[in-house]
Amino acid sequence: MPQPYRTMAIAYDFDGTLAPGNMQEHNFIPALEMRPAEFWQKTHELAMFHEADDILAYMQLMLEMARNKKIPVRRENFTQYGAGIQFFKGVETWFERIRSYAKDKKVELDHYIISSGLREMIAGTRIAKHFRQIYASGFMYDHNGVAYWPALAVNYTTKTQYLFRINKGCLDVCDNAKINEWVEHEERAVPFANMVFIGDGQTDVPCMRLVKDYGGHSIAVYDPAVRSHGATSPKEKALKLVRDNRATLAAKADYSEGSDIDVAVRAMIDKAASNAVILKIRSSSKTPPADRR
């Protein structure tokens, strides 16, 4: 088993971080014969009317609209929708490439998803195999395999619990006992200082801030294809997260070799490897306390 200071984790939001837009917009919403803006407006209205969580509202609306349009909502249907999701430049080669770099530095690196999107769709994507764990919202299914109720809703505040699960090595979402047990920081599976969180917006701020405040790094990404202007542009929003001390740096959502994200994460891996050397020397040089008798 690797020493904790030789382990590292990169946790990603999904929508707007690894893939453009929201995952429902790639295939599911078009199947409803709706425009994305119309679907999300209805979601907002539903949440406001019932004073409900936005994530629960969109999940309920997906089931309701699918039922009205007689569109099947079995697990395999959501998985098929996920298979059609397109990604930002370099994403599909990123995970193995950066894990290989970490291995060369004798750092054991794992990738995780922490998303408000649907785990069933993410599980159907071409990149799903690269994640040690996918933490995302999901449905319950009846005896016919049909989705009928939300099983888990991951919103911007609950996202942070999954960082602690990674930190403590308690990855089972149903284990609520172990995650609340105190574990000495040096005995935790992945130190926060060896974590990187990559996200794209305000819903990722709690995770970005948590990782950064504990000595890790957060990257705010933006879609370079979105050409809005001024303070509302994705780039300016990402830069504001850096100015507000939420994120370590901002970068366009390009994961290809030599991109800003690629160069920055390699440097973060280098830092983790260097810290491991220092910690090992410090640990081996400790002397027992003097005998005061």
Side-chain angles (χ1 to χ4, degrees), residues 9-13 110-114 163 166 195-199:
I10 305 178
Y12 309 80
D13 176 45
D110 284 313
H111 302 284
Y112 298 84
I113 287 287
I114 304 177
L163 293 173
I166 296 167
M195 282 192 195
V196 180
F197 184 84
I198 304 179

Side-chain angles (χ1 to χ4, degrees), residues 27 55-56 81 88 91-92 110 163 202-203 215 230 234 245 258 268:
N27 295 288
I55 308 305
L56 290 169
Y81 286 125
F88 286 122
V91 164
E92 294 191 53
D110 284 313
L163 293 173
Q202 290 298 317
T203 60
N245 208 29
M268 293 167 188

